[in-house]
Amino acid sequence: MTTRLYTHPIYLEHLTPTGHPERPDRLRAIAQALQDERFDALDRKESPPGDPDAILLAHPLSYREKVEAAIPTEGLVRIDADTSASPKSWEAALTAIGAATAAVDDVFSGAADNVFVASRPPGHHAERETAMGFCLFNNAAIAARHAQRKHGAERVAIVDWDVHHGNGTQDIFWHDPSVLYCSTHQMPLYPGTGDRHETGAGNIVNAPLAAGDEGEAFKDAMRTRVLSAIDAFKPDLIIISAGFDAHHRDPLAEINLVEDDFDWATGELLERAGRFCSNRLVSLLEGGYDLQGLATSTAAHVSRLMKG
Ligand SMILES: [Zn+2]
């Protein structure tokens, strides 16, 4: 099993206000964890530049122009209540898209069986025309569309285990049965969407969890809602919106997952990638705000990806 890792120093230059949870140290913590010798076999690559036109796979031109025009020449600018941009944010966001689309290319060409992308800013809260929740562009949605347009994928499944609901991904694919969007998340919690009755064109599967839930509730939601939906959908590609803020140490939520839960979920999705997708699986970092919990959870996830 070949697992590729994409990351890039530009991601550290997307700056947020002092004290903001979505900070460059998140990627430093992941990089340090992945220095361990058990990751020696990782195929490490620097993220390639992104094509601005790839943004248009999930967002209108007017939105791309609005974000680009908002990027400051110095200091920080607030794009929404909790989403900021700094002078290098455009390049960082574009390079996150570059890695997400390259990861899709890699699993379709066979250059890698699966790929993990350690990038920022994250993407799953970015709606078609709205930046929010630390996100500018929806990396997972762009990757899914890229797989369809460039590689002829007919059905793409996006599994989002970030502790927050991916309202942006749900918004973008609400009317599109060719993309299955499945999410486990704490509810109620930001952004407020993700009720199980939100089903789109029958392609949206929400499996909300309650504050205090632990691994067994997460596994039950995955088995009864998410994995069963994937089995019925038979995707050509699985994309994971891999947030690690459902870890018990995370300061932004109250779900109590441990590293083994992420290992388990990764294994279940790999098994389905093998069964339906010729192993093709792309995992994109979303949230995770406790540096230790983020690092150990990411290590468990990537380690499992390498085992296949
Ligand atoms: Zn989150």
Side-chain angles (χ1 to χ4, degrees):
M1 193 64 70
T2 307
T3 297
R4 181 165 283 184
L5 168 72
Y6 280 113
T7 193
H8 196 290
I10 190 67
Y11 301 141
L12 303 175
E13 296 190 53
H14 165 60
L15 304 178
T16 50
T18 305
H20 195 286
E22 204 294 284
R23 59 209 190 275
D25 279 349
R26 298 177 61 235
L27 289 192
R28 294 191 181 100
I30 289 174
Q32 189 174 12
L34 296 182
Q35 285 306 313
D36 189 274
E37 63 184 18
R38 68 181 154 135
F39 299 107
D40 283 353
L42 259 185
D43 177 24
R44 297 163 196 267
K45 298 273 188 230
E46 192 160 88
S47 306
D51 175 1
D53 283 347
I55 296 169
L56 306 179
L57 293 168
H59 305 278
L61 179 60
S62 57
Y63 176 72
R64 185 184 81 183
E65 290 173 343
K66 194 173 99 177
V67 173
E68 189 169 16
I71 304 294
T73 51
E74 57 181 40
L76 297 179
V77 66
R78 192 168 282 229
I79 304 231
D80 108 307
D82 46 25
T83 311
S84 309
S86 64
K88 295 286 189 184
S89 294
W90 177 259
E91 194 181 343
L94 206 52
T95 309
I97 292 164
T101 52
V104 169
D105 294 339
D106 292 341
V107 297
F108 275 96
S109 74
D113 291 303
N114 56 56
V115 183
F116 179 68
V117 178
S119 63
R120 28 187 313 278
H124 74 150
H125 293 306
E127 297 185 345
R128 196 179 295 271
E129 301 187 55
T130 309
M132 59 185 277
F134 322 157
C135 303
L136 297 175
F137 300 114
N138 198 309
N139 304 314
I142 290 167
R145 283 271 186 261
H146 178 75
Q148 294 182 315
R149 299 283 161 78
K150 185 164 175 195
H151 298 286
E154 292 181 3
R155 292 176 307 283
V156 179
I158 300 175
V159 177
D160 183 339
W161 67 50
D162 187 282
V163 83
H164 302 95
H165 181 242
N167 59 293
T169 315
Q170 173 169 298
D171 171 66
I172 289 164
F173 297 114
W174 185 256
H175 298 292
D176 183 353
S178 73
V179 176
L180 175 71
Y181 175 69
C182 303
S183 176
T184 60
H185 46 273
Q186 181 177 329
M187 199 171 186
L189 189 69
Y190 181 91
T193 49
D195 187 274
R196 60 175 64 228
H197 301 297
E198 296 166 20
T199 55
N203 61 317
I204 307 290
V205 176
N206 287 310
L209 303 169
D213 274 354
E214 302 186 351
E216 279 314 306
F218 169 70
K219 289 179 182 175
D220 186 60
M222 284 287 289
R223 284 192 195 101
T224 60
R225 309 270 301 163
V226 175
L227 299 174
S228 54
I230 291 172
D231 291 344
F233 187 68
K234 299 181 172 55
D236 305 308
L237 168 68
I238 295 174
I239 296 173
I240 305 177
S241 267
F244 296 101
D245 40 10
H247 187 274
H248 68 94
R249 289 180 56 97
D250 199 274
L252 265 54
E254 292 90 36
I255 301 296
N256 295 311
L257 299 193
V258 297
E259 291 71 10
D260 280 354
D261 297 318
F262 294 113
D263 171 275
W264 174 84
T266 306
E268 291 294 318
L269 294 177
L270 278 172
E271 189 274 323
R272 281 152 181 89
R275 187 146 38 109
F276 301 123
C277 317
S278 304
N279 294 323
R280 292 184 290 264
L281 184 149
V282 167
S283 177
L284 308 176
L285 180 67
E286 300 281 1
Y289 305 101
D290 175 78
L291 297 183
Q292 183 185 323
L294 173 64
T296 53
S297 300
T298 302
H301 174 56
V302 174
S303 179
R304 193 70 182 78
L305 288 177
M306 293 170 73
K307 286 178 201 152

